[in-house]
Amino acid sequence: KIAAGEVVNRPDSVVKELIENSIDAKATHITIVIKEAGKTLIQVTDDGLGMSEEDAVMSFQRHSTSKISSYEDLENILTLGFRGEALASIASVAQVELKTKTASDDVGTLIRVDGSEIMEVTKTQCDTGTSISVKNLFYNTPGRRNFLKTNQTEFRHIYETFIRLAISNPEVAFTFVNNDDEIFDMRVSSP
């Protein structure tokens, strides 16, 4: 029922999708870490609701989402993401590690995906919420990797995406780290 296009065309689109997932998970603090303008690492960690192992595995399948459950839900979408495309698209062009835990679970789930292939699903110790590390973006599609601009240009796109999302969500604290340098530590804004 939903026509969805490619969501990953450069590092800033990965940052956007992952931050939006964290916001949908009701995170109160989101940390973004990038290296080499997102080409070698994009990590987004949140203190949101987390996912069950079943939902975490499903999140890497195309068109699978836990955010809507019926056709009628499409008439009342209250989340930023709902198509079930983001993680599947990201995992198809990168090496992804996801750690997640719900408040009701004693231990979390660790999933490693390499170019859409789930390599590992195990239990792990982690805090409530979700941490996703996207490494070596476009490693398996060299033509797309070569299309990326300079690190300065790609960083500027990430920076603009980050600022837009952080300013439009003042109820969420954000930390942004670039190549081990803290760029922003934005606290929750008081009403």
Side-chain angles (χ1 to χ4, degrees):
K1 297 290 179 181
I2 303 169
E6 181 66 43
V7 295
V8 180
N9 53 18
R10 61 184 342 145
D12 80 290
S13 57
V14 173
V15 170
K16 174 190 172 292
E17 295 293 339
L18 295 180
I19 291 175
E20 287 179 348
N21 280 348
S22 293
I23 293 167
D24 283 346
K26 301 183 181 358
T28 60
H29 187 256
I30 301 170
T31 300
I32 299 94
V33 176
I34 64 168
K35 291 194 177 180
E36 292 186 47
K39 295 173 186 174
T40 58
L41 174 69
I42 298 168
Q43 182 179 45
V44 176
T45 303
D46 69 55
D47 63 353
L49 299 173
M51 291 181 276
S52 67
E53 181 176 321
E54 180 183 354
D55 281 350
V57 171
M58 183 178 68
S59 71
F60 288 101
Q61 305 304 313
R62 290 210 179 274
H63 312 296
S64 296
T65 180
S66 60
K67 294 178 183 177
I68 59 174
S69 56
S70 70
Y71 177 71
E72 290 73 32
D73 289 346
L74 292 174
E75 300 297 323
N76 191 29
I77 294 173
L78 302 174
T79 58
L80 297 169
F82 60 89
R83 297 174 300 158
E85 279 288 290
L87 284 180
S89 293
I90 292 166
S92 71
V93 293
Q95 297 161 325
V96 179
E97 179 180 284
L98 177 142
K99 292 180 183 179
T100 189
K101 183 175 105 50
T102 66
S104 62
D105 289 332
D106 293 330
V107 293
T109 300
L110 166 67
I111 300 175
R112 286 195 177 95
V113 183
D114 192 336
S116 291
E117 185 178 342
I118 294 179
M119 308 301 282
E120 178 182 3
V121 178
T122 58
K123 294 296 184 187
T124 190
Q125 188 58 44
C126 60
D127 294 329
T128 298
T130 301
S131 177
I132 301 178
S133 297
V134 177
K135 299 175 184 173
N136 303 317
L137 190 61
F138 302 131
Y139 79 100
N140 57 355
T141 53
R144 289 178 67 188
R145 189 167 181 89
N146 291 338
F147 174 74
L148 295 176
K149 305 298 183 200
T150 65
N151 283 359
Q152 182 178 358
T153 299
E154 294 300 338
F155 174 78
R156 184 174 41 84
H157 287 289
I158 292 170
Y159 179 89
E160 290 168 359
T161 296
F162 169 81
I163 292 295
R164 187 174 60 255
L165 288 166
I167 289 174
S168 62
N169 293 280
E171 71 286 358
V172 179
F174 286 90
T175 304
F176 182 28
V177 178
N178 176 44
N179 294 329
D180 300 321
D181 293 327
E182 187 173 271
I183 306 297
F184 285 106
D185 186 11
M186 303 171 116
R187 308 292 173 165
V188 174
S189 299
S190 301

